Amino acid sequence: MKKVNVRQFIPYIVLLIIVGVVLLTFGLNTKNWKKLTYNELINELSQGNVTEIVTEEHAADGVYYITGKLANYEKNDYFKVNAPLSENVQEELSAYYQNAEFKWEVSTNPENNSLLIIFINYFPLLIMVVVAFILFSRLSGANKGSMDFGKSRAKLVDEGGKKFSDVAGLDEEKEEVEELIDFLKNPKKYNKMGARIPKGVLLVGPPGTGKTLLAKAVAGEANVPFYYISGSDFVELFVGVGASRVRDMFKQAKHTAPCLIFIDEIDAVGRQRGTGLGGGHDEREQTLNQLLTEMDGFGANEGIIVIAATNRPDVLDPALLRPGRFDRQVTVSLPDQKARKSILDVHAKGKIFDKSVNLESLSKRTPGFSGADLENLLNEAALLAVRRNKDAITMEEIDEATDRVLMGPAKTSRKYSDKEKMLVAIHESGHAVVGLKLKDAEDVHKITIIPRGQAGGYTMMLPPEEKMVVTTKDELLARITGLLGGRVAEQLFLGEITTGASDDFSKATKIARSMVTQYGMSDLGPIQLEEKNEGVFLGRDYNKNRDFSDAVALEIDKEVQKIVNECYKETTRILKENEKLVKLIANTLVEKETITKEEIEELVETGKLSNKDESLKELKEEAKELGIKGYTKMTKEELEEEIKNSTEK
């Protein structure tokens, strides 16, 4: 149960008190006063018109204050009389009081009531002090960062619930950090052997691969305090603030050692010093200097292990990566097929899947997906199933979710003209046929002409077997040939060319140039002419390294052009030889808009598609008449078996 903070209600309580006092003092004082002289009061007393009277002696002023009501007054009407003390007011009133019936009250002189005097004189001042205190406290709370900017922003997070079992697909990475857990649990064992545990571990990898999750699991397994901070939390407008925060962070960590400090996106503060168009960045560089000193300086930080994560290790300062600081770098790569299956199993918990869903098959269809992508895919599938009012997640939702993650949601409201539809169908059919007929090309898994994102349609092609390290020259040439399939198909079978192949040309040219300048796969020989340097401080490709003359640059352009032209000729040959298949796939796309791998294989083998949907619909209707339970979730083979068993009975 969440603890209620009473302090947040104090301003409202004080405000209610002030409002109440004001109402009691002024709001409820609605009497209508009528001023009388003392002689008029005596006249009214002699006639017996007075019903109540209150007398109050003020010695300091030398007067009697007399208030009361007359018989003919309204409810809120009162009279007020000021009589000098020199007159015998008390004796005269007593004489009339003995002969007449009216209510008489003698009020105490407030000058003799010390408590009342203190209340009247000091209560408004007390209210002002309280209000000022509340205002200043709230003001300082709103500007807490400016009043306390030198303190550490690191948060002490309870990650006891995260274990290695929650981290799937990172078996080798978990082995690398298991030593840290053992050291945090049994430091004496390492000290006895004279071993020094790494002071820092740098987790490097693309976004979404599980670097932060792995750090949390280390803290959960070790059951030690876990401090979390982002690299951007150190850098401040004022020079020296970041360094102060680093000192304070390590000071706090020493009090709770052994402990873990996790710095996410460390490249925000750990960038290489003295770089950029304007020179260095004083605040960031001072912060980095302090971090370097704290990790491995003259002071000792025993029992403090720093884990940092970044997807840009190329921009980090070399001093940060030397032994004694970040001793160990753990590369958290994109998961392979086995790892993707494990990740899908973790994220599938709590979701209801149809029998037709095969996570093993899904893991094979998602190369290049990170752990975050896979989690998002299953979540999108679950959302689609709810949106469609289904009882379970089917392959239909998973296929749609895969497309949404890769390309964005389908733009079903966008309608093609018949000419555009055929043009896109021919374009995508050209890509597919090259993939089907070329030896080293990737397998065609799906073709669609439904627009998504910036694409009017797309052909999903996946490698027959997943490769993690190298790609052959023939595979690169096959990839370029497949990319050119759309333009060649347009030119051969429609007699015109469009702008739809611009992205294909961009990808093909990049592959061809990399073959020439980086991979040594051209007639120029095995020479690296360009380094893969993206100029992270001056803008990407702004300061790209050129290790060649203008004459060699001309040769590079010729080689790139030669590779692309040869692939273009090969694409033209393949599509001319398979003209019937191109048109068959295109016509099927115009009719169905999306065809799957199984349907593509059926088109290649038989030249037509069997009407499976109609036959499945008929089987379900028959199963419904026979009263077979759960027939809506059965496959065609299961329905045939159940119908056969029911008719035999």
Side-chain angles (χ1 to χ4, degrees), residues 20 23 68 113 120 243 316 327 341 365 367 399 464 477 482 529 536 558:
L23 287 176
N113 192 333
I120 293 174
L316 296 180
D327 308 78
K341 175 63 170 60
R365 291 169 47 195
D399 287 339
L477 291 173
L529 299 169
V536 292
K558 288 181 179 179

Side-chain angles (χ1 to χ4, degrees), residues 25-73:
T25 307
F26 303 104
L28 300 180
N29 190 12
T30 57
K31 296 179 180 180
N32 184 21
W33 295 100
K34 296 182 180 181
K35 195 167 183 180
L36 300 178
T37 64
Y38 182 68
N39 292 331
E40 289 175 339
L41 174 61
I42 296 299
N43 186 34
E44 295 291 344
L45 284 169
S46 62
Q47 296 178 13
N49 293 332
V50 178
T51 58
E52 62 180 71
I53 193 170
V54 178
T55 58
E56 189 175 301
E57 180 181 348
H58 284 258
D61 298 335
V63 295
Y64 263 112
Y65 289 159
I66 306 172
T67 59
K69 287 180 69 70
L70 300 180
N72 58 349
Y73 276 8

Side-chain angles (χ1 to χ4, degrees), residues 37 68 71 112 119 241 526 589:
T37 64
N112 298 326
F119 179 81
V241 173
L589 280 171

Side-chain angles (χ1 to χ4, degrees), residues 477-505:
L477 291 173
R479 197 174 297 172
I480 296 173
T481 306
L483 288 167
L484 298 174
R487 164 57 67 86
V488 175
E490 292 172 4
Q491 193 169 16
L492 287 177
F493 308 117
L494 295 177
E496 58 182 344
I497 58 178
T498 69
T499 59
S502 60
D503 187 56
D504 298 331
F505 292 160

Side-chain angles (χ1 to χ4, degrees), residues 312 314 531-545:
R312 297 304 309 272
D314 52 318
E531 292 183 13
K532 194 175 181 181
N533 186 352
E534 295 180 333
V536 292
F537 300 109
L538 299 177
R540 297 180 185 276
D541 300 327
Y542 183 83
N543 63 337
K544 196 169 185 177
N545 291 340

Side-chain angles (χ1 to χ4, degrees), residues 117-136:
I117 292 173
I118 293 172
F119 179 81
I120 293 174
N121 291 332
Y122 296 103
F123 184 69
L125 181 61
L126 178 63
I127 292 177
M128 292 175 62
V129 171
V130 171
V131 171
F133 172 77
I134 293 172
L135 290 175
F136 278 109

